[in-house]
Amino acid sequence: MERTDRLTPASARDLLYEECEALRGVQSRLCTLYAGNGFREVMTPSIEYSGVFSADAAVSQRMVRLMDGGGRLCCLRPDCTLPIARLCGTRLKNAPLPIRLYYSQQVYSVAREHSGKEAEFSQVGVELIGERGMTADVEILSLASQSLRALGNGYRLEICHIGFFRSLMGALSAEETVKEQARALIEQKSYAQLSDLLSPFLEQPAARALCALPRLFGAKDVLARARALQPEKEGIKALDYLEELLEKLREAGLHENVAIDLGLINDADYYTGVIFRGYMEGSGEAVLSGGRYDRLLGRFGRDLPATGFGVNASLVSRGLTGGGEQQGEGLTLALTKGRLEKKTAQLLSALGYDCSALEEKGRRLVLPLGESGIRVILAKAADVITYVENGVADIGIVGKDTIMENGGSFYEVLDLGFGRCRFALAAKSREAVFGGYRAQRIASKYPHVALDYFESLGLDVNIVKIEGSVELAPLIGLCDGIVDIVETGSTLRENGLSVIEEIAPVSARMIVNTASMKLRQQPVERLISQMEGYLQEQAERPEK
Ligand code: PRP
């Protein structure tokens, strides 16, 4: 018997008893709702030719690939909308319009190793095909809202119109690489980095508007703030559309849990109009996602407007069975133990928070921040990211080095300015790493950062993961160079090494869980603004 014979692959698992009941309950509530609203069920196969998804880079990137008997490249369905678009261009090509479809099926996507994410989840959703315009958008948003309401207490639906973002991008005169980076930074609500990236372009109104985009979320007043940024014609049209849509939702009694987020950019690039995401208490990430995709069906031979959404039923049911995080009213702030801890405590004290529990913590790992309602948890750097990503902590303070190495899905909102150091390639000499034709060996605590750097240079290297005191590795002949963080440079100097190339600056960052940003917007925004205000004040203070 092989070692793995009794196991499920990493990121796949069995569901038992109440887990099945919870999932079936979610699926059946949604299916009943959709059937009751005139939608008819379809099932597409789990296995599709990978070409069905190839037009969408983000979707095809997460495909689990396999080969059919004839050696053709197939995949396990990574998305439900594209197979339905295929269906409309083939089996449903003569169906009368509009077509209202719903589905309840498994979706598969490659999960990041050790992320705790599952590679298979249940998605239940609807597609409304053949109807353009406001009425169809209101119908789908109303159904999205009813879906979340049917599943539990406390939800929020964020809406956006992709036309606003696209018009700003279209008006921005900058290289494509800058635009791609800006897109990613807006998606991550990475305020600080976005300003740095776009600072050379700030004489352009589009660049100024893009810098403001990650913060343009909240109630209806967001639209007025967006108009003040003087968008071009397409952008104004998008804002007008959203304004009218909000009014229609208000008339339908759905406005209370609906907000605007103009920085919402869906990673699937087939969306053309209104896009939206839904959040529920108990889940650290969006449980519902959808939007209008008027040009997708044309690729499959039936050029029709369409809109729809999918609910991640697995995520919802995990929240219901207690697999998701359960939080009270207050905020949870995850701090990196060690180097950044003291500086963060100083910053919090300067903002007026009572940090006495942090100063006399002993071996305790969960500490109250006075009477503020904020609790602090202390964790290792990479774990801060894990806690925030999974929503058990709302906010985290962590070094950019850890973010670059681990990645993850969260908002990176502030550069706190302390914990400054830099990523560098270091060696005994430049020749040691760049001389000769042999593929060099590079040791690092940050193998992803190291690999990424050498890939950007187009160089093959062998990376060796080392846990600490990396400077030792080239001294005793394990490697030719190291990629590590350098602060004062004394560790390198005292060991006969020097910086060969600087790779990237590093400092402490404030990160926020995506769902917390929506569901606990006020306290989260308050803390961000306090920190931002303080940092600004410090930066403007004349040097003594
Ligand atoms: C970090 C880093 C370097 C050193 C750089 O190590 O990996 O070794 O600090 O600082 P310097 O430029 O001021 O000399 P850390 O102290 O975190 O210990 P570790 O290497 O054992 O992880």
Side-chain angles (χ1 to χ4, degrees), residues 364-377:
R364 281 186 301 160
L365 299 169
V366 183
L367 304 149
L369 215 50
E371 302 292 314
S372 65
I374 299 177
R375 65 172 181 168
V376 169
I377 59 171

PDB file of all heavy atoms in Angstrom, residues 364-377:
ATOM      1  N   ARG A 364       1.429  35.830  26.947  1.00  0.00           N
ATOM      2  CA  ARG A 364       0.089  35.902  26.340  1.00  0.00           C
ATOM      3  C   ARG A 364       0.173  36.316  24.874  1.00  0.00           C
ATOM      4  O   ARG A 364       0.998  37.143  24.504  1.00  0.00           O
ATOM      5  CB  ARG A 364      -0.788  36.904  27.109  1.00  0.00           C
ATOM      6  CG  ARG A 364      -1.359  36.340  28.400  1.00  0.00           C
ATOM      7  CD  ARG A 364      -2.312  37.321  29.020  1.00  0.00           C
ATOM      8  NE  ARG A 364      -1.644  38.595  29.301  1.00  0.00           N
ATOM      9  CZ  ARG A 364      -2.282  39.739  29.491  1.00  0.00           C
ATOM     10  NH1 ARG A 364      -3.593  39.785  29.393  1.00  0.00           N
ATOM     11  NH2 ARG A 364      -1.629  40.837  29.759  1.00  0.00           N
ATOM     12  N   LEU A 365      -0.699  35.744  24.062  1.00  0.00           N
ATOM     13  CA  LEU A 365      -0.668  36.008  22.624  1.00  0.00           C
ATOM     14  C   LEU A 365      -1.890  36.793  22.133  1.00  0.00           C
ATOM     15  O   LEU A 365      -1.925  37.230  20.989  1.00  0.00           O
ATOM     16  CB  LEU A 365      -0.569  34.679  21.851  1.00  0.00           C
ATOM     17  CG  LEU A 365       0.682  33.853  22.143  1.00  0.00           C
ATOM     18  CD1 LEU A 365       0.567  32.464  21.559  1.00  0.00           C
ATOM     19  CD2 LEU A 365       1.928  34.541  21.608  1.00  0.00           C
ATOM     20  N   VAL A 366      -2.897  36.900  23.001  1.00  0.00           N
ATOM     21  CA  VAL A 366      -4.086  37.690  22.650  1.00  0.00           C
ATOM     22  C   VAL A 366      -4.248  38.765  23.717  1.00  0.00           C
ATOM     23  O   VAL A 366      -4.344  38.448  24.906  1.00  0.00           O
ATOM     24  CB  VAL A 366      -5.360  36.809  22.624  1.00  0.00           C
ATOM     25  CG1 VAL A 366      -6.569  37.631  22.176  1.00  0.00           C
ATOM     26  CG2 VAL A 366      -5.180  35.607  21.722  1.00  0.00           C
ATOM     27  N   LEU A 367      -4.238  40.024  23.289  1.00  0.00           N
ATOM     28  CA  LEU A 367      -4.202  41.109  24.269  1.00  0.00           C
ATOM     29  C   LEU A 367      -5.192  42.207  23.898  1.00  0.00           C
ATOM     30  O   LEU A 367      -5.333  42.538  22.720  1.00  0.00           O
ATOM     31  CB  LEU A 367      -2.789  41.723  24.283  1.00  0.00           C
ATOM     32  CG  LEU A 367      -1.676  40.714  24.559  1.00  0.00           C
ATOM     33  CD1 LEU A 367      -0.406  41.113  23.870  1.00  0.00           C
ATOM     34  CD2 LEU A 367      -1.465  40.567  26.041  1.00  0.00           C
ATOM     35  N   PRO A 368      -5.853  42.792  24.901  1.00  0.00           N
ATOM     36  CA  PRO A 368      -6.762  43.897  24.590  1.00  0.00           C
ATOM     37  C   PRO A 368      -5.977  45.195  24.439  1.00  0.00           C
ATOM     38  O   PRO A 368      -4.954  45.387  25.088  1.00  0.00           O
ATOM     39  CB  PRO A 368      -7.667  43.966  25.824  1.00  0.00           C
ATOM     40  CG  PRO A 368      -6.790  43.473  26.935  1.00  0.00           C
ATOM     41  CD  PRO A 368      -5.830  42.479  26.350  1.00  0.00           C
ATOM     42  N   LEU A 369      -6.471  46.079  23.593  1.00  0.00           N
ATOM     43  CA  LEU A 369      -5.865  47.403  23.454  1.00  0.00           C
ATOM     44  C   LEU A 369      -6.705  48.354  24.296  1.00  0.00           C
ATOM     45  O   LEU A 369      -7.550  49.087  23.781  1.00  0.00           O
ATOM     46  CB  LEU A 369      -5.885  47.780  21.972  1.00  0.00           C
ATOM     47  CG  LEU A 369      -4.730  48.591  21.399  1.00  0.00           C
ATOM     48  CD1 LEU A 369      -3.381  47.992  21.750  1.00  0.00           C
ATOM     49  CD2 LEU A 369      -4.877  48.716  19.888  1.00  0.00           C
ATOM     50  N   GLY A 370      -6.501  48.291  25.610  1.00  0.00           N
ATOM     51  CA  GLY A 370      -7.294  49.097  26.544  1.00  0.00           C
ATOM     52  C   GLY A 370      -8.777  48.823  26.366  1.00  0.00           C
ATOM     53  O   GLY A 370      -9.202  47.678  26.243  1.00  0.00           O
ATOM     54  N   GLU A 371      -9.551  49.900  26.336  1.00  0.00           N
ATOM     55  CA  GLU A 371     -11.007  49.782  26.216  1.00  0.00           C
ATOM     56  C   GLU A 371     -11.454  50.050  24.779  1.00  0.00           C
ATOM     57  O   GLU A 371     -12.636  50.286  24.525  1.00  0.00           O
ATOM     58  CB  GLU A 371     -11.696  50.815  27.137  1.00  0.00           C
ATOM     59  CG  GLU A 371     -11.350  50.700  28.619  1.00  0.00           C
ATOM     60  CD  GLU A 371     -11.908  49.421  29.224  1.00  0.00           C
ATOM     61  OE1 GLU A 371     -13.079  49.118  28.971  1.00  0.00           O
ATOM     62  OE2 GLU A 371     -11.147  48.721  29.932  1.00  0.00           O
ATOM     63  N   SER A 372     -10.499  50.019  23.842  1.00  0.00           N
ATOM     64  CA  SER A 372     -10.823  50.440  22.466  1.00  0.00           C
ATOM     65  C   SER A 372     -11.717  49.452  21.716  1.00  0.00           C
ATOM     66  O   SER A 372     -12.242  49.779  20.649  1.00  0.00           O
ATOM     67  CB  SER A 372      -9.527  50.607  21.670  1.00  0.00           C
ATOM     68  OG  SER A 372      -8.892  49.337  21.553  1.00  0.00           O
ATOM     69  N   GLY A 373     -11.859  48.230  22.257  1.00  0.00           N
ATOM     70  CA  GLY A 373     -12.620  47.216  21.529  1.00  0.00           C
ATOM     71  C   GLY A 373     -11.754  46.507  20.497  1.00  0.00           C
ATOM     72  O   GLY A 373     -12.214  45.617  19.786  1.00  0.00           O
ATOM     73  N   ILE A 374     -10.473  46.902  20.424  1.00  0.00           N
ATOM     74  CA  ILE A 374      -9.550  46.226  19.494  1.00  0.00           C
ATOM     75  C   ILE A 374      -8.764  45.191  20.287  1.00  0.00           C
ATOM     76  O   ILE A 374      -8.279  45.480  21.381  1.00  0.00           O
ATOM     77  CB  ILE A 374      -8.567  47.233  18.847  1.00  0.00           C
ATOM     78  CG1 ILE A 374      -9.351  48.282  18.048  1.00  0.00           C
ATOM     79  CG2 ILE A 374      -7.550  46.522  17.981  1.00  0.00           C
ATOM     80  CD1 ILE A 374      -8.477  49.371  17.423  1.00  0.00           C
ATOM     81  N   ARG A 375      -8.679  43.965  19.766  1.00  0.00           N
ATOM     82  CA  ARG A 375      -7.796  42.998  20.429  1.00  0.00           C
ATOM     83  C   ARG A 375      -6.609  42.755  19.506  1.00  0.00           C
ATOM     84  O   ARG A 375      -6.749  42.734  18.278  1.00  0.00           O
ATOM     85  CB  ARG A 375      -8.521  41.705  20.779  1.00  0.00           C
ATOM     86  CG  ARG A 375      -8.995  40.925  19.601  1.00  0.00           C
ATOM     87  CD  ARG A 375      -9.524  39.559  19.989  1.00  0.00           C
ATOM     88  NE  ARG A 375      -9.950  38.861  18.783  1.00  0.00           N
ATOM     89  CZ  ARG A 375     -10.238  37.594  18.720  1.00  0.00           C
ATOM     90  NH1 ARG A 375     -10.183  36.842  19.789  1.00  0.00           N
ATOM     91  NH2 ARG A 375     -10.605  37.041  17.578  1.00  0.00           N
ATOM     92  N   VAL A 376      -5.451  42.582  20.153  1.00  0.00           N
ATOM     93  CA  VAL A 376      -4.226  42.388  19.385  1.00  0.00           C
ATOM     94  C   VAL A 376      -3.806  40.931  19.496  1.00  0.00           C
ATOM     95  O   VAL A 376      -3.845  40.356  20.580  1.00  0.00           O
ATOM     96  CB  VAL A 376      -3.107  43.306  19.956  1.00  0.00           C
ATOM     97  CG1 VAL A 376      -1.764  42.954  19.366  1.00  0.00           C
ATOM     98  CG2 VAL A 376      -3.441  44.761  19.689  1.00  0.00           C
ATOM     99  N   ILE A 377      -3.446  40.327  18.382  1.00  0.00           N
ATOM    100  CA  ILE A 377      -2.845  38.996  18.461  1.00  0.00           C
ATOM    101  C   ILE A 377      -1.411  39.093  17.954  1.00  0.00           C
ATOM    102  O   ILE A 377      -1.115  39.901  17.068  1.00  0.00           O
ATOM    103  CB  ILE A 377      -3.646  37.922  17.674  1.00  0.00           C
ATOM    104  CG1 ILE A 377      -3.771  38.276  16.189  1.00  0.00           C
ATOM    105  CG2 ILE A 377      -5.017  37.702  18.275  1.00  0.00           C
ATOM    106  CD1 ILE A 377      -4.347  37.142  15.355  1.00  0.00           C
TER     107      ILE A 377
END
